[in-house]
Every structure is written in C-alpha cells, then in structure tokens.
Amino acid sequence: MKKINPFLVFFLALGFTIISCNKDDDPPRRILDNTKIENPINHFVWQAMNSWYNWQPNVSNLADSKDDNLQNYYDYLNSYSTPESLFETLLYDKGNTDRFSWFIEDYNKQGASFRGVNDAYGFEFGVARLCEGCSEIIGYVTYVVPNSPAADAGIQRGDLFYKFDGIELNIDNYGVVNNFYDDEITSITMEFNTLNNGTIVPSNVEKTLTIREVVENPVLYSDIITNNAGTKIGYLVYNGFKYTFHEELNNVFADFKAAGITELVLDLRYNGGGSVLTSAYLASMIYGGASENETFAKLIYNSKHSDEGGYYPFFNTAYIYDKEGEYSGSDATINRLNSLTKLYVITSRSTASASEMIINGLTPYLSVIKIGTTTYGKNVGSITLYDSADFKKDGANTTHTNALQPIVFQIYNKFDESDYTLGFIPDYEVFEFASQIKPFGDLEEPLLKTALDHISGAISKPSLAKKSTLETGPSVFNSLDKKKYAKEMYIIPE
C-alpha cells in the first residue's frame, strides 16, 4: 500500500487530490555489481532520470531497455568520468526545451538556499551600455538585502558603479563581474559613479564586500499608497517563494486587509520562483472568492508517475515552517483580501516559475494586468532526487552530497492552460533603465507609476502607457540570470 506523506494528510482531508512524491509502489532500484562501475553515482543518475524525468520518453539513452544488457550498461556508465557529465547528456533538447534541470553538487547548500539562506554579498545588479552603441559599461544595483554585507556598506538600490574589482568596465571586459559568483573569491570591490548628461562622473567612493551567510526575507518591501481619489493601494515587492517565510508574507496581507486596500500591485520583477505550495498560499491571499473546492493549479507528471499528479486549491490556512525548514506544528489563518477584482503584476525577464504560476493560476478568476517586460517562460517544475532506494533524502548515500533537480511535472491552471514557454507578454511594456531606477515605493518609479496611473484612470489602453525614455543603453547582463536556484518551481522537500 502506498504510504501517505504526513504533511499531505491535511490536504486529503479537505477533499482534493495532491499525491505525495513517494515511490513505495515503484519497482526497487536495481542492484548492480559496483565493482564493475567506476563511479556508482552514475547508476543513481541514470535510474533517477529514467524513472522521474518529464521528458524520459524523448531521450533514447533513458529507454527502459538501456540496462537490459548489463555489460553494455556498465560500459555506458563508465564512459562518463563524472555523474554531472552523464546527467547533462540526458537532458532533452538542453538549453531549449529543458533550460531548467540541474545537477546538485551539495544538496545541503541547495536546501539552505530554498530556505533563503546563502553565502552572499547581499545585492543584485545589472550591467548596461552607457548609451546605445557605446563601448562604456556601467553597473547598477537593483536591490539590496537587509542585514547583508551590501546593506552594511550602505549600498542602495539605484547606485551606479563603473569599476568592478579594479577594472573599468567596457563591452570587452565586463565579464569580470562573474567574480560575483566565483566560489574561490570571497570579496569584491566596486567603485561608484553618477551620471552627468550621459557622462560617467566618478564618485571617488570604493567599497569592498566580503561574502558571508545571509538570510534573505523575500518580502523585501511593502507599502499602502493612497492616491488623489482616496483609493488605497497595496504595494508588495516579493522576491522569492520561500516556504520558511509564510508567516512574514501572511502578515503583510494582514496589514493590507486592515487598511482596507481595494487595489494591489504585486512586484515580481526580481522573483524567479520557488515553492509551489507558497505560490498557492499567495494566490489564496489575493483572491477574495477563494475556495478549497476551486483549482489554483494542476500538476501533471510523466506516465510512470501519473498518480503523483493532482491539483492545488486555494487554502484557508498555511503551514508555518521554521528557518531550518521544519514544520513548526502550527498553522496560520490566511489573510485573504476580499476587495480585488483585478491584480497588477510588475514583471521582467527575471519573473519565472512560481511567479508565472501566480499569473497563470489567477487569470481564470481575476483580471491580471501585467506591467514591465516579458517574463521568462517556465511552466514546469522539479523535485529533488537523492541517491537512496526511493530517491528521497532519508536513507541517502552518505558518501557524497550529490543530488538531482530534474524537471518532473508541467503545471496548468483551472482551464488546463499552460502555453507560456515564451513568457507572458506585458499589457503595458515599460523598461527599467539604469539611469531611472528609484527606491521601491517612489511614486515616480516608472513601473509602479504605470500601475498607479492605470488605477487612477490616467491611462486605460496599452498603447497609451508611457515607456521609459532611453537615458542609458540596453542591459547586457543581469546578476539574477546566473544566480543558482534563481528560476525554480519545486515541491518542498520532505
């Protein structure tokens, strides 16, 4: 009999279907002669992908017959010097259809990142040409995490820098900013500047940051704005669906509810996704007509795990997890807004996965007005697979910390819609340029202003939205594009 995940007993009691990610009904993993396998982790990689991978039928080397002839199978596994190199060859149409699966070097670090804990400098940034066609490059800070090295150094959103680790940036050398990700580098320096009529003016300010552990609350900024007509507007900058911050997210909606807001601007421009459950909780806070009998999202797995699929409803209560990722044993009543007929979402290329799930899942229920630029386009999600008999963390091989994060399901809304692999196109296209960045909540910040203008009636048609004037050139680099685990939609690991 299939064992039920205790965290899902509550779900099943509500009368809807979400099946836990257990494999008790699956055939046991085949035991091989490890003396004939140069790296036994390769066997784990192949079996996990053969069983769970969303596109398993499309990859010839994942055919069920691959290990029928054991000697040929041993030779196949031994032809790859590392588990990661094998894993990479098993991805379907890598970089196009599958842009998302990855090999995990250390699942402990990934687990911490899913909880918002990382070794980090505590800021994100973009890099842009100084002007259209210029060779000069400037960097610009997009946001700063409180209680981080960047915050301690006084760095703020909108700060401009023209030197990174002593190198004055240009179109040929701006790759030096990749030091930001280098595990062997523990400190970086930046020299800051202002702009005067399109010319870089050094500020004679240099700051050195040393990396350390940072706990990032994804609820970065919230405010209640009252416009000239007296309309109360909730504004939330939410940067990641971290399941260890359910309480903080719910508390913001308590403030919105108490203030009686009638409009909501949800800023997801830097939100690459995260926990599916957290996305369902946020949707439950937004949609006033939410019911546990209504479908927010459906998950469809491959044919080997079709019974793992199910749907997420809107919730009345939310699980509260501590910062170590453990269920605290307490639930919170969801602070649901009852006053919204539409939702404004600020988007960018960094808006992905669980963020796009919000747009797709709420579209059948609310008018969702998108402001910014086209989203990333990720309608699939993953689970973590460990080197154990059932691919769960319990019982995992203790001789290594490798694991897999492959795509294993596709997500749909109530109407079985999932066609956004090219991203959601904004209703009002507004670009964020380096020279125009303003603090979050500033009423003249271009993307927020567009939402506020629409609410006040100053604009009503997409063609009338005021696009930002190109005062600096186009962006050529975004730190979130290469950030580990930045564009993800996953089931919370047990």
Side-chain angles (χ1 to χ4, degrees), residues 43-345:
H43 177 49
F44 149 64
V45 169
W46 186 87
Q47 283 210 322
M49 294 290 282
N50 168 264
S51 177
W52 281 96
Y53 190 46
N54 186 64
W55 295 286
Q56 181 264 339
N58 303 95
V59 181
S60 59
N61 278 333
L62 286 176
D64 292 342
S65 60
K66 186 70 176 178
D67 61 350
D68 286 352
N69 183 307
L70 281 181
Q71 187 55 57
N72 289 345
Y73 180 63
Y74 292 146
D75 292 342
Y76 168 70
L77 296 183
N78 290 337
S79 68
Y80 295 94
S81 59
T82 65
E84 184 172 7
S85 63
L86 170 60
F87 174 79
E88 293 293 326
T89 68
L90 297 176
L91 301 183
Y92 176 60
D93 191 24
K94 179 185 174 184
N96 296 303
T97 303
D98 189 353
R99 297 172 281 159
F100 318 109
S101 299
W102 74 81
F103 183 86
I104 302 168
E105 289 287 348
D106 185 340
Y107 56 70
N108 293 311
K109 287 186 178 180
Q110 172 172 293
S113 180
F114 283 178
R115 302 192 306 272
V117 181
N118 294 282
D119 288 338
Y121 298 106
F123 74 103
E124 300 298 336
F125 65 96
V127 171
R129 290 178 182 267
L130 184 60
C131 63
E132 194 77 51
C134 288
S135 62
E136 295 96 336
I137 291 287
I138 58 169
Y140 56 100
V141 177
T142 52
Y143 74 87
V144 175
V145 179
N147 302 313
S148 69
D152 293 345
I155 295 174
Q156 298 180 9
R157 168 174 162 80
D159 283 351
L160 304 177
F161 58 91
Y162 74 108
K163 284 187 179 180
F164 195 96
D165 282 347
I167 296 176
E168 187 167 342
L169 302 175
N170 61 48
I171 196 64
D172 296 318
N173 67 17
Y174 73 87
V176 68
V177 299
N178 284 300
N179 290 351
F180 183 76
Y181 307 98
D182 194 326
D183 291 337
E184 302 300 317
I185 295 175
T186 59
S187 66
I188 57 173
T189 62
M190 295 182 292
E191 294 184 45
F192 293 84
N193 67 278
T194 60
L195 291 177
N196 185 3
N197 294 322
T199 300
I200 291 174
V201 180
S203 301
N204 297 318
V205 174
E206 178 180 297
K207 294 185 179 181
T208 299
L209 306 181
T210 300
I211 201 167
R212 65 171 169 80
E213 183 178 276
V214 174
V215 179
E216 180 176 352
N217 179 354
V219 182
L220 183 64
Y221 179 89
S222 66
D223 195 9
I224 297 166
I225 301 167
T226 303
N227 68 11
N228 292 334
T231 303
K232 291 186 176 180
I233 305 156
Y235 175 56
L236 170 62
V237 180
Y238 186 55
N239 284 353
F241 291 82
K242 308 295 186 185
Y243 68 98
T244 48
F245 288 89
H246 288 164
E247 189 168 23
E248 289 83 350
L249 179 61
N250 199 40
N251 287 343
V252 170
F253 278 81
D255 294 339
F256 289 163
K257 192 172 182 178
I261 69 165
T262 56
E263 302 284 358
L264 176 64
V265 180
L266 180 62
D267 194 335
L268 300 178
R269 76 182 85 177
Y270 306 125
N271 191 321
S275 158
V276 172
L277 180 62
T278 308
S279 184
Y281 285 166
L282 176 58
S284 302
M285 297 170 195
I286 292 170
Y287 175 46
S291 164
E292 291 176 335
N293 296 318
E294 289 274 14
T295 298
F296 167 59
K298 301 176 185 179
L299 276 63
I300 306 297
Y301 288 72
N302 70 20
S303 60
K304 293 185 178 184
H305 296 280
S306 58
D307 63 343
E308 300 288 343
Y311 74 91
Y312 280 75
F314 295 95
F315 292 86
N316 291 329
T317 58
Y319 288 134
I320 302 301
Y321 297 85
D322 64 26
K323 296 305 182 276
E324 297 301 315
E326 299 294 330
Y327 174 53
S328 68
S330 64
D331 308 330
T333 299
I334 281 180
N335 291 308
R336 179 171 294 134
L337 302 177
N338 297 307
S339 54
L340 303 182
T341 59
K342 57 185 175 296
L343 170 67
Y344 294 88
V345 181

